[in-house]
Amino acid sequence: MRYLVMVQGSQADYDAQAGKGSADSPVWDEKAIQAMFAHMGGINDDLAESGELITVYGLKEPAAGRAVSLDGEGRPVVSDGPYSETKELLAGFWVLDCESLERVTEIAARVARCPLPAGASAYPVLIRPVGGGIDD
């Protein structure tokens, strides 16, 4: 079964990793950033070795994105990020091929153990089964 494993973050988290902390998200020093990359890199290496990794991506900061909706007449309305309507957004994801929900839950728990600086927000790691496609 394929699963989408998602990590969340906020614009404040991306800002903190770039050296601009706030009350909600303290500045990440170089040691904290390297610890995060080492943790995630170890997970990626293990998943590639086990054959469970299909793909993995981290996403650029919300400020680099856009939200597109339609107005009452069907015309596009574009909002540049970060989006005031939501605080937490998708920060990165894995697509995994795992034997069971229990196995992907073990992986998500490992992702959730990513080291964070004191005071940084910890978000749940989300798991969603992936359908097989249009005929699924």
Side-chain angles (χ1 to χ4, degrees), residues 62-128:
R66 289 184 161 178
V68 180
S69 58
L70 300 176
D71 68 12
E73 297 179 19
R75 293 182 300 241
V77 176
V78 179
S79 302
D80 291 329
Y83 319 109
S84 60
E85 306 84 41
T86 57
K87 184 176 178 186
E88 294 88 20
L89 297 163
L90 185 62
F93 63 91
W94 290 259
V95 177
L96 304 177
D97 190 356
C98 296
E99 234 177 67
S100 66
L101 182 57
E102 290 74 23
R103 172 62 181 141
V104 75
T105 301
E106 290 172 7
I107 295 165
R110 184 174 173 196
V111 170
R113 289 187 197 97
C114 184
L116 301 170
S121 297
Y123 302 102
V125 177
L126 306 174
I127 300 169
R128 297 278 304 275

Side-chain angles (χ1 to χ4, degrees), residues 1 4 14 17 24-25 27 31 38 40 49-53 56 72 74-75 81 105 115 124:
M1 179 68 159
L4 179 64
Y14 282 85
Q17 291 175 5
D24 295 330
S25 196
V27 170
K31 184 177 177 182
M40 296 302 188
E49 187 175 315
S50 71
E52 294 169 302
L53 180 65
V56 59
R75 293 182 300 241
T105 301

